[in-house]
Amino acid sequence: RRSHWCKVYLLEAAGYSNEPEESTGGHGKARPKASVGTGERSGEHRERLFVRRASRIRGGRGPRRMEGVGGLAGAEVFLAGGMAGLLSDSLMHPVDTVRTRLWVQDKVAPELRYRSSLDAACKISRAEGLKAFYKGYGSVVLVTPVAYGVYFSTYEAAKHSIGKLSGAGTESPAVHFAAGIAANVTGQVAWTPMDVVKQRQQAVKDQPFKGLYDAFRTLYREGGVTNGLLRGYSAALYTYAPFSAAFFAIYEGWKVQVSKLHRSLAVSGATEARLAPLTNSAGGLVSGAVAAVLTAPTDAVKTRMQVGSQYNGKGFLLVAKDMWKQEGLRVFAQGISARVAWIAPGCAVTICTYEWFKSLVHSAVA
């Protein structure tokens, strides 16, 4: 019954109907027809009517916000993104530790010598034990749900807003590209402090902090907000804004093409929003791998800036120039395999979990 009345009120708010059908309330009393007179309602009057009736249906809690995020309430997108990100980062954290060690050896930790990702994993396991792979995990648990929640909420809102304002719609690759950049700009505000703490813990054998509170306090004492907590924020944007843009453009295109293939093969219920989990995972894996390779050199520079004390006060381009002069172009290729092994499966898990949770919420509110 509630679903019926919600649909009626939404139609009324859009101006499609003036009088809903009679229905029965929860206590068996007949619900009266809306007496609205004649003529068209003004937009303001329709909106007030929708808010009042939606609030009555939901027990006075106000209407469920549906705009801007493709039919999902902002809180639900935030929750879906947070859950997806935490699961992904938890599973892939050991690979991230190997990637960090490869990119900071020689300069930050000269006592560490690794020939490859596999060699690094074996040496870390033998010298420090399996728990070493989860160094820095505390900051991930604390910050990741918030960061991913903000990230996906911004992406969904930006995708629909940009698509509407530009007239290109929500299926345009350019819209996905721009929305991916917007999502990263906001998400990195939470990710950057987490990355600095996490990578400092991952980069060395010893524990550089006494705990999470001490870690964030130390960063603040070193450089305040800009040069401490948000150290490397601009470098992170150079790395992950293009990554997010490329990932979403490729992934959204993948969804559309696979849906068309399903429809051509007469596969029942195949739409972009309800692709099988395996299909979503495959799309996330491929999109993540391509985007990871394209942005690996900038990630190497970002990691050096956030971990190496000798780079304090230096900008992104200056650090990249120093790395090139001292170590050659090969330094930008170190750890690419570890980066792909970390990011691609992580993207697969993240996007699959996110899409699954979105479809679950759609079913619950339908």
Side-chain angles (χ1 to χ4, degrees):
R1 187 184 305 114
R2 286 187 177 187
S3 175
H4 165 74
W5 278 97
C6 283
K7 291 175 181 177
V8 170
Y9 295 153
L10 285 171
L11 289 172
E12 282 189 330
Y16 290 109
S17 173
N18 281 338
E19 293 188 1
E21 297 175 0
E22 285 193 345
S23 182
T24 303
H27 300 287
K29 296 180 180 180
R31 189 186 299 272
K33 289 184 178 180
S35 177
V36 296
T38 59
E40 290 190 26
R41 290 193 181 101
S42 68
E44 182 180 355
H45 179 71
R46 286 199 302 269
E47 185 172 346
R48 283 202 305 269
L49 179 62
F50 169 65
V51 170
R52 185 167 60 252
R53 289 179 173 176
S55 178
R56 188 162 63 236
I57 286 177
R58 302 187 69 230
R61 292 175 292 170
R64 186 185 299 273
R65 293 185 62 82
M66 303 294 284
E67 68 276 9
V69 289
L72 284 177
E76 291 155 348
V77 172
F78 186 93
L79 181 59
M83 289 179 60
L86 182 58
L87 176 61
S88 171
D89 282 4
S90 297
L91 292 175
M92 303 312 300
H93 193 82
V95 184
D96 183 33
T97 300
V98 173
R99 175 198 67 91
T100 301
R101 287 286 182 92
L102 285 168
W103 274 344
V104 301
Q105 63 176 336
D106 297 334
K107 291 298 179 182
V108 178
E111 75 279 5
L112 303 177
R113 301 286 181 176
Y114 307 121
R115 295 189 302 271
S116 64
S117 300
L118 181 59
D119 180 58
C122 292
K123 287 182 177 178
I124 293 171
S125 178
R126 285 198 301 265
E128 303 170 60
L130 294 177
K131 67 178 182 180
F133 290 104
Y134 273 90
K135 284 184 174 181
Y137 182 64
S139 61
V140 172
V141 174
L142 179 66
V143 179
T144 285
V146 177
Y148 271 99
V150 171
Y151 178 75
F152 278 107
S153 296
T154 304
Y155 174 72
E156 294 285 1
K159 180 174 70 172
H160 287 80
S161 297
I162 295 172
K164 183 177 181 180
L165 291 174
S166 66
T170 59
E171 292 189 359
S172 167
V175 170
H176 303 149
F177 194 91
I181 292 176
N184 197 261
V185 169
T186 57
Q188 281 301 334
V189 174
W191 270 317
T192 300
M194 180 196 78
D195 277 345
V196 177
V197 171
K198 178 190 68 173
Q199 290 172 352
R200 286 193 183 185
Q201 291 176 311
Q202 291 172 320
V204 296
K205 292 182 179 180
D206 300 326
Q207 179 57 260
F209 308 115
K210 296 177 181 178
L212 284 178
Y213 175 75
D214 177 63
F216 289 110
R217 183 178 62 176
T218 299
L219 294 184
Y220 184 77
R221 285 178 175 176
E222 288 179 354
V225 175
T226 305
N227 295 318
L229 293 172
L230 292 179
R231 180 181 179 184
Y233 175 77
S234 60
L237 289 184
Y238 290 145
T239 300
Y240 290 110
F243 172 87
S244 296
F247 172 80
F248 279 116
I250 296 171
Y251 176 70
E252 295 279 11
W254 165 279
K255 288 171 61 179
V256 171
Q257 295 304 315
V258 171
S259 293
K260 289 180 179 178
L261 177 61
H262 283 186
R263 286 194 293 271
S264 68
L265 297 175
V267 178
S268 177
T271 65
E272 293 94 274
R274 296 187 178 182
L275 296 176
L278 183 60
T279 305
N280 287 330
S281 297
L285 186 72
V286 173
S287 304
V290 174
V293 171
L294 293 176
T295 57
T298 54
D299 195 20
V301 179
K302 175 193 73 74
T303 303
R304 287 287 183 88
M305 290 180 67
Q306 292 179 326
V307 177
S309 58
Q310 69 270 35
Y311 297 116
N312 287 350
K314 291 186 177 181
F316 181 87
L317 295 179
L318 186 58
V319 173
K321 184 179 179 180
D322 288 347
M323 291 171 63
W324 184 6
K325 283 184 176 180
Q326 296 174 16
E327 303 169 67
L329 287 175
R330 65 178 181 83
V331 69
F332 299 107
Q334 284 182 343
I336 284 185
S337 60
R339 176 173 167 78
V340 173
W342 165 51
I343 287 184
C347 287
V349 173
T350 300
I351 205 68
C352 180
T353 306
Y354 177 66
E355 295 285 10
W356 171 79
F357 198 87
K358 279 208 308 182
S359 66
L360 189 68
V361 173
H362 270 304
S363 299
V365 301

